[in-house]
PDB file of all heavy atoms in Angstrom:
ATOM      1  N   ALA A  97      67.561  39.995  -5.589  1.00  0.00           N
ATOM      2  CA  ALA A  97      66.936  38.730  -5.209  1.00  0.00           C
ATOM      3  C   ALA A  97      65.421  38.816  -5.327  1.00  0.00           C
ATOM      4  O   ALA A  97      64.775  37.874  -5.786  1.00  0.00           O
ATOM      5  CB  ALA A  97      67.335  38.343  -3.785  1.00  0.00           C
ATOM      6  N   LEU A  98      64.852  39.957  -4.941  1.00  0.00           N
ATOM      7  CA  LEU A  98      63.407  40.136  -5.066  1.00  0.00           C
ATOM      8  C   LEU A  98      62.983  40.130  -6.526  1.00  0.00           C
ATOM      9  O   LEU A  98      61.970  39.542  -6.877  1.00  0.00           O
ATOM     10  CB  LEU A  98      62.956  41.434  -4.390  1.00  0.00           C
ATOM     11  CG  LEU A  98      62.858  41.377  -2.877  1.00  0.00           C
ATOM     12  CD1 LEU A  98      62.536  42.764  -2.315  1.00  0.00           C
ATOM     13  CD2 LEU A  98      61.829  40.370  -2.429  1.00  0.00           C
ATOM     14  N   ARG A  99      63.763  40.773  -7.383  1.00  0.00           N
ATOM     15  CA  ARG A  99      63.457  40.762  -8.817  1.00  0.00           C
ATOM     16  C   ARG A  99      63.561  39.343  -9.372  1.00  0.00           C
ATOM     17  O   ARG A  99      62.743  38.919 -10.173  1.00  0.00           O
ATOM     18  CB  ARG A  99      64.376  41.703  -9.580  1.00  0.00           C
ATOM     19  CG  ARG A  99      63.831  43.108  -9.707  1.00  0.00           C
ATOM     20  CD  ARG A  99      64.568  43.912 -10.761  1.00  0.00           C
ATOM     21  NE  ARG A  99      65.994  44.005 -10.523  1.00  0.00           N
ATOM     22  CZ  ARG A  99      66.573  44.824  -9.644  1.00  0.00           C
ATOM     23  NH1 ARG A  99      65.840  45.620  -8.922  1.00  0.00           N
ATOM     24  NH2 ARG A  99      67.870  44.849  -9.507  1.00  0.00           N
ATOM     25  N   ASP A 100      64.579  38.606  -8.914  1.00  0.00           N
ATOM     26  CA  ASP A 100      64.736  37.217  -9.349  1.00  0.00           C
ATOM     27  C   ASP A 100      63.552  36.379  -8.895  1.00  0.00           C
ATOM     28  O   ASP A 100      63.036  35.561  -9.658  1.00  0.00           O
ATOM     29  CB  ASP A 100      66.032  36.617  -8.800  1.00  0.00           C
ATOM     30  CG  ASP A 100      67.280  37.220  -9.431  1.00  0.00           C
ATOM     31  OD1 ASP A 100      67.149  37.926 -10.467  1.00  0.00           O
ATOM     32  OD2 ASP A 100      68.373  37.006  -8.886  1.00  0.00           O
ATOM     33  N   LEU A 101      63.109  36.576  -7.654  1.00  0.00           N
ATOM     34  CA  LEU A 101      61.960  35.836  -7.142  1.00  0.00           C
ATOM     35  C   LEU A 101      60.706  36.205  -7.917  1.00  0.00           C
ATOM     36  O   LEU A 101      59.923  35.340  -8.291  1.00  0.00           O
ATOM     37  CB  LEU A 101      61.761  36.115  -5.648  1.00  0.00           C
ATOM     38  CG  LEU A 101      60.559  35.426  -5.003  1.00  0.00           C
ATOM     39  CD1 LEU A 101      60.661  33.916  -5.135  1.00  0.00           C
ATOM     40  CD2 LEU A 101      60.443  35.838  -3.545  1.00  0.00           C
ATOM     41  N   ASP A 102      60.529  37.487  -8.185  1.00  0.00           N
ATOM     42  CA  ASP A 102      59.382  37.939  -8.979  1.00  0.00           C
ATOM     43  C   ASP A 102      59.392  37.256 -10.342  1.00  0.00           C
ATOM     44  O   ASP A 102      58.376  36.741 -10.799  1.00  0.00           O
ATOM     45  CB  ASP A 102      59.427  39.461  -9.141  1.00  0.00           C
ATOM     46  CG  ASP A 102      58.255  40.007  -9.923  1.00  0.00           C
ATOM     47  OD1 ASP A 102      57.107  39.827  -9.484  1.00  0.00           O
ATOM     48  OD2 ASP A 102      58.493  40.628 -10.984  1.00  0.00           O
ATOM     49  N   GLY A 103      60.548  37.222 -10.976  1.00  0.00           N
ATOM     50  CA  GLY A 103      60.663  36.564 -12.280  1.00  0.00           C
ATOM     51  C   GLY A 103      60.378  35.080 -12.192  1.00  0.00           C
ATOM     52  O   GLY A 103      59.715  34.509 -13.064  1.00  0.00           O
ATOM     53  N   ALA A 104      60.856  34.447 -11.118  1.00  0.00           N
ATOM     54  CA  ALA A 104      60.627  33.009 -10.944  1.00  0.00           C
ATOM     55  C   ALA A 104      59.142  32.719 -10.745  1.00  0.00           C
ATOM     56  O   ALA A 104      58.615  31.756 -11.302  1.00  0.00           O
ATOM     57  CB  ALA A 104      61.440  32.490  -9.754  1.00  0.00           C
ATOM     58  N   ILE A 105      58.469  33.558  -9.971  1.00  0.00           N
ATOM     59  CA  ILE A 105      57.028  33.365  -9.751  1.00  0.00           C
ATOM     60  C   ILE A 105      56.282  33.486 -11.071  1.00  0.00           C
ATOM     61  O   ILE A 105      55.389  32.698 -11.368  1.00  0.00           O
ATOM     62  CB  ILE A 105      56.496  34.360  -8.701  1.00  0.00           C
ATOM     63  CG1 ILE A 105      57.026  33.980  -7.311  1.00  0.00           C
ATOM     64  CG2 ILE A 105      54.972  34.407  -8.702  1.00  0.00           C
ATOM     65  CD1 ILE A 105      56.748  35.003  -6.237  1.00  0.00           C
ATOM     66  N   TRP A 106      56.664  34.454 -11.891  1.00  0.00           N
ATOM     67  CA  TRP A 106      55.966  34.659 -13.165  1.00  0.00           C
ATOM     68  C   TRP A 106      56.314  33.607 -14.203  1.00  0.00           C
ATOM     69  O   TRP A 106      55.627  33.481 -15.204  1.00  0.00           O
ATOM     70  CB  TRP A 106      56.191  36.076 -13.688  1.00  0.00           C
ATOM     71  CG  TRP A 106      55.338  37.022 -12.916  1.00  0.00           C
ATOM     72  CD1 TRP A 106      55.716  37.822 -11.886  1.00  0.00           C
ATOM     73  CD2 TRP A 106      53.926  37.198 -13.056  1.00  0.00           C
ATOM     74  NE1 TRP A 106      54.626  38.484 -11.387  1.00  0.00           N
ATOM     75  CE2 TRP A 106      53.517  38.129 -12.086  1.00  0.00           C
ATOM     76  CE3 TRP A 106      52.965  36.655 -13.905  1.00  0.00           C
ATOM     77  CZ2 TRP A 106      52.201  38.534 -11.940  1.00  0.00           C
ATOM     78  CZ3 TRP A 106      51.654  37.066 -13.762  1.00  0.00           C
ATOM     79  CH2 TRP A 106      51.285  37.992 -12.792  1.00  0.00           C
ATOM     80  N   ARG A 107      57.363  32.815 -13.958  1.00  0.00           N
ATOM     81  CA  ARG A 107      57.678  31.705 -14.866  1.00  0.00           C
ATOM     82  C   ARG A 107      56.818  30.482 -14.572  1.00  0.00           C
ATOM     83  O   ARG A 107      56.733  29.575 -15.399  1.00  0.00           O
ATOM     84  CB  ARG A 107      59.158  31.329 -14.747  1.00  0.00           C
ATOM     85  CG  ARG A 107      60.075  32.366 -15.377  1.00  0.00           C
ATOM     86  CD  ARG A 107      61.529  32.045 -15.168  1.00  0.00           C
ATOM     87  NE  ARG A 107      61.926  30.804 -15.810  1.00  0.00           N
ATOM     88  CZ  ARG A 107      63.114  30.249 -15.662  1.00  0.00           C
ATOM     89  NH1 ARG A 107      64.016  30.812 -14.892  1.00  0.00           N
ATOM     90  NH2 ARG A 107      63.395  29.115 -16.275  1.00  0.00           N
ATOM     91  N   LEU A 108      56.190  30.446 -13.396  1.00  0.00           N
ATOM     92  CA  LEU A 108      55.325  29.320 -13.050  1.00  0.00           C
ATOM     93  C   LEU A 108      54.092  29.310 -13.938  1.00  0.00           C
ATOM     94  O   LEU A 108      53.656  30.355 -14.409  1.00  0.00           O
ATOM     95  CB  LEU A 108      54.867  29.428 -11.589  1.00  0.00           C
ATOM     96  CG  LEU A 108      55.930  29.317 -10.504  1.00  0.00           C
ATOM     97  CD1 LEU A 108      55.318  29.651  -9.141  1.00  0.00           C
ATOM     98  CD2 LEU A 108      56.549  27.928 -10.501  1.00  0.00           C
ATOM     99  N   SER A 109      53.511  28.136 -14.112  1.00  0.00           N
ATOM    100  CA  SER A 109      52.240  28.061 -14.838  1.00  0.00           C
ATOM    101  C   SER A 109      51.179  28.793 -14.012  1.00  0.00           C
ATOM    102  O   SER A 109      51.322  28.931 -12.795  1.00  0.00           O
ATOM    103  CB  SER A 109      51.826  26.607 -15.056  1.00  0.00           C
ATOM    104  OG  SER A 109      51.383  26.044 -13.835  1.00  0.00           O
ATOM    105  N   PRO A 110      50.129  29.271 -14.652  1.00  0.00           N
ATOM    106  CA  PRO A 110      49.088  30.003 -13.901  1.00  0.00           C
ATOM    107  C   PRO A 110      48.521  29.207 -12.731  1.00  0.00           C
ATOM    108  O   PRO A 110      48.282  29.759 -11.657  1.00  0.00           O
ATOM    109  CB  PRO A 110      48.011  30.272 -14.949  1.00  0.00           C
ATOM    110  CG  PRO A 110      48.712  30.216 -16.259  1.00  0.00           C
ATOM    111  CD  PRO A 110      49.838  29.230 -16.082  1.00  0.00           C
ATOM    112  N   ARG A 111      48.310  27.925 -12.900  1.00  0.00           N
ATOM    113  CA  ARG A 111      47.729  27.105 -11.828  1.00  0.00           C
ATOM    114  C   ARG A 111      48.677  26.979 -10.639  1.00  0.00           C
ATOM    115  O   ARG A 111      48.254  27.040  -9.487  1.00  0.00           O
ATOM    116  CB  ARG A 111      47.379  25.705 -12.351  1.00  0.00           C
ATOM    117  CG  ARG A 111      46.424  25.713 -13.517  1.00  0.00           C
ATOM    118  CD  ARG A 111      44.992  25.768 -13.061  1.00  0.00           C
ATOM    119  NE  ARG A 111      44.088  25.558 -14.176  1.00  0.00           N
ATOM    120  CZ  ARG A 111      43.173  26.434 -14.547  1.00  0.00           C
ATOM    121  NH1 ARG A 111      43.038  27.556 -13.907  1.00  0.00           N
ATOM    122  NH2 ARG A 111      42.388  26.185 -15.567  1.00  0.00           N
ATOM    123  N   LEU A 112      49.976  26.785 -10.915  1.00  0.00           N
ATOM    124  CA  LEU A 112      50.944  26.674  -9.826  1.00  0.00           C
ATOM    125  C   LEU A 112      51.108  28.015  -9.120  1.00  0.00           C
ATOM    126  O   LEU A 112      51.170  28.084  -7.887  1.00  0.00           O
ATOM    127  CB  LEU A 112      52.297  26.184 -10.342  1.00  0.00           C
ATOM    128  CG  LEU A 112      52.348  24.777 -10.927  1.00  0.00           C
ATOM    129  CD1 LEU A 112      53.773  24.403 -11.305  1.00  0.00           C
ATOM    130  CD2 LEU A 112      51.761  23.754  -9.978  1.00  0.00           C
ATOM    131  N   ARG A 113      51.195  29.088  -9.893  1.00  0.00           N
ATOM    132  CA  ARG A 113      51.336  30.433  -9.316  1.00  0.00           C
ATOM    133  C   ARG A 113      50.136  30.751  -8.432  1.00  0.00           C
ATOM    134  O   ARG A 113      50.276  31.254  -7.322  1.00  0.00           O
ATOM    135  CB  ARG A 113      51.501  31.471 -10.431  1.00  0.00           C
ATOM    136  CG  ARG A 113      51.775  32.862  -9.907  1.00  0.00           C
ATOM    137  CD  ARG A 113      52.095  33.864 -11.006  1.00  0.00           C
ATOM    138  NE  ARG A 113      51.003  34.008 -11.948  1.00  0.00           N
ATOM    139  CZ  ARG A 113      51.045  33.633 -13.213  1.00  0.00           C
ATOM    140  NH1 ARG A 113      52.124  33.097 -13.727  1.00  0.00           N
ATOM    141  NH2 ARG A 113      49.997  33.807 -13.989  1.00  0.00           N
ATOM    142  N   GLU A 114      48.957  30.444  -8.928  1.00  0.00           N
ATOM    143  CA  GLU A 114      47.727  30.711  -8.181  1.00  0.00           C
ATOM    144  C   GLU A 114      47.732  29.971  -6.842  1.00  0.00           C
ATOM    145  O   GLU A 114      47.445  30.555  -5.791  1.00  0.00           O
ATOM    146  CB  GLU A 114      46.556  30.262  -9.040  1.00  0.00           C
ATOM    147  CG  GLU A 114      45.228  30.206  -8.368  1.00  0.00           C
ATOM    148  CD  GLU A 114      44.178  29.696  -9.338  1.00  0.00           C
ATOM    149  OE1 GLU A 114      44.120  28.475  -9.600  1.00  0.00           O
ATOM    150  OE2 GLU A 114      43.427  30.538  -9.840  1.00  0.00           O
ATOM    151  N   ALA A 115      48.075  28.689  -6.842  1.00  0.00           N
ATOM    152  CA  ALA A 115      48.094  27.899  -5.608  1.00  0.00           C
ATOM    153  C   ALA A 115      49.120  28.458  -4.626  1.00  0.00           C
ATOM    154  O   ALA A 115      48.842  28.604  -3.430  1.00  0.00           O
ATOM    155  CB  ALA A 115      48.400  26.432  -5.928  1.00  0.00           C
ATOM    156  N   LEU A 116      50.297  28.788  -5.124  1.00  0.00           N
ATOM    157  CA  LEU A 116      51.347  29.328  -4.273  1.00  0.00           C
ATOM    158  C   LEU A 116      50.939  30.660  -3.658  1.00  0.00           C
ATOM    159  O   LEU A 116      51.155  30.904  -2.470  1.00  0.00           O
ATOM    160  CB  LEU A 116      52.644  29.491  -5.070  1.00  0.00           C
ATOM    161  CG  LEU A 116      53.848  29.964  -4.270  1.00  0.00           C
ATOM    162  CD1 LEU A 116      54.263  28.905  -3.259  1.00  0.00           C
ATOM    163  CD2 LEU A 116      55.003  30.287  -5.209  1.00  0.00           C
ATOM    164  N   VAL A 117      50.333  31.516  -4.438  1.00  0.00           N
ATOM    165  CA  VAL A 117      49.907  32.825  -3.946  1.00  0.00           C
ATOM    166  C   VAL A 117      48.813  32.676  -2.893  1.00  0.00           C
ATOM    167  O   VAL A 117      48.850  33.324  -1.849  1.00  0.00           O
ATOM    168  CB  VAL A 117      49.437  33.719  -5.117  1.00  0.00           C
ATOM    169  CG1 VAL A 117      48.707  34.947  -4.611  1.00  0.00           C
ATOM    170  CG2 VAL A 117      50.630  34.139  -5.965  1.00  0.00           C
ATOM    171  N   LEU A 118      47.848  31.826  -3.143  1.00  0.00           N
ATOM    172  CA  LEU A 118      46.755  31.649  -2.185  1.00  0.00           C
ATOM    173  C   LEU A 118      47.265  31.133  -0.846  1.00  0.00           C
ATOM    174  O   LEU A 118      46.892  31.643   0.211  1.00  0.00           O
ATOM    175  CB  LEU A 118      45.694  30.702  -2.745  1.00  0.00           C
ATOM    176  CG  LEU A 118      44.855  31.246  -3.885  1.00  0.00           C
ATOM    177  CD1 LEU A 118      43.956  30.147  -4.454  1.00  0.00           C
ATOM    178  CD2 LEU A 118      44.017  32.435  -3.440  1.00  0.00           C
ATOM    179  N   VAL A 119      48.139  30.134  -0.873  1.00  0.00           N
ATOM    180  CA  VAL A 119      48.615  29.516   0.363  1.00  0.00           C
ATOM    181  C   VAL A 119      49.782  30.297   0.963  1.00  0.00           C
ATOM    182  O   VAL A 119      49.797  30.580   2.156  1.00  0.00           O
ATOM    183  CB  VAL A 119      49.016  28.042   0.112  1.00  0.00           C
ATOM    184  CG1 VAL A 119      49.689  27.432   1.330  1.00  0.00           C
ATOM    185  CG2 VAL A 119      47.790  27.225  -0.274  1.00  0.00           C
ATOM    186  N   GLY A 120      50.737  30.683   0.127  1.00  0.00           N
ATOM    187  CA  GLY A 120      51.954  31.311   0.638  1.00  0.00           C
ATOM    188  C   GLY A 120      51.856  32.798   0.889  1.00  0.00           C
ATOM    189  O   GLY A 120      52.421  33.304   1.858  1.00  0.00           O
ATOM    190  N   VAL A 121      51.144  33.507   0.055  1.00  0.00           N
ATOM    191  CA  VAL A 121      51.071  34.963   0.179  1.00  0.00           C
ATOM    192  C   VAL A 121      49.789  35.392   0.883  1.00  0.00           C
ATOM    193  O   VAL A 121      49.811  36.207   1.801  1.00  0.00           O
ATOM    194  CB  VAL A 121      51.175  35.645  -1.205  1.00  0.00           C
ATOM    195  CG1 VAL A 121      51.060  37.150  -1.066  1.00  0.00           C
ATOM    196  CG2 VAL A 121      52.480  35.273  -1.892  1.00  0.00           C
ATOM    197  N   GLN A 122      48.673  34.833   0.468  1.00  0.00           N
ATOM    198  CA  GLN A 122      47.384  35.219   1.044  1.00  0.00           C
ATOM    199  C   GLN A 122      47.076  34.471   2.332  1.00  0.00           C
ATOM    200  O   GLN A 122      46.062  34.714   2.962  1.00  0.00           O
ATOM    201  CB  GLN A 122      46.265  35.007   0.023  1.00  0.00           C
ATOM    202  CG  GLN A 122      46.414  35.880  -1.209  1.00  0.00           C
ATOM    203  CD  GLN A 122      46.280  37.356  -0.892  1.00  0.00           C
ATOM    204  OE1 GLN A 122      45.549  37.759  -0.014  1.00  0.00           O
ATOM    205  NE2 GLN A 122      47.009  38.166  -1.638  1.00  0.00           N
ATOM    206  N   GLU A 123      47.935  33.516   2.701  1.00  0.00           N
ATOM    207  CA  GLU A 123      47.837  32.773   3.953  1.00  0.00           C
ATOM    208  C   GLU A 123      46.517  32.028   4.116  1.00  0.00           C
ATOM    209  O   GLU A 123      45.976  31.906   5.212  1.00  0.00           O
ATOM    210  CB  GLU A 123      48.093  33.693   5.151  1.00  0.00           C
ATOM    211  CG  GLU A 123      49.466  34.311   5.117  1.00  0.00           C
ATOM    212  CD  GLU A 123      49.730  35.260   6.278  1.00  0.00           C
ATOM    213  OE1 GLU A 123      48.767  35.678   6.954  1.00  0.00           O
ATOM    214  OE2 GLU A 123      50.901  35.566   6.502  1.00  0.00           O
TER     215      GLU A 123
END
Side-chain angles (χ1 to χ4, degrees):
L98 282 174
R99 270 195 303 282
D100 291 347
L101 178 59
D102 181 61
I105 289 171
W106 283 100
R107 288 176 64 187
L108 295 172
S109 73
R111 302 275 189 239
L112 295 184
R113 185 173 61 247
E114 169 182 77
L116 184 66
V117 167
L118 289 173
V119 172
V121 178
Q122 297 295 327
E123 299 178 344

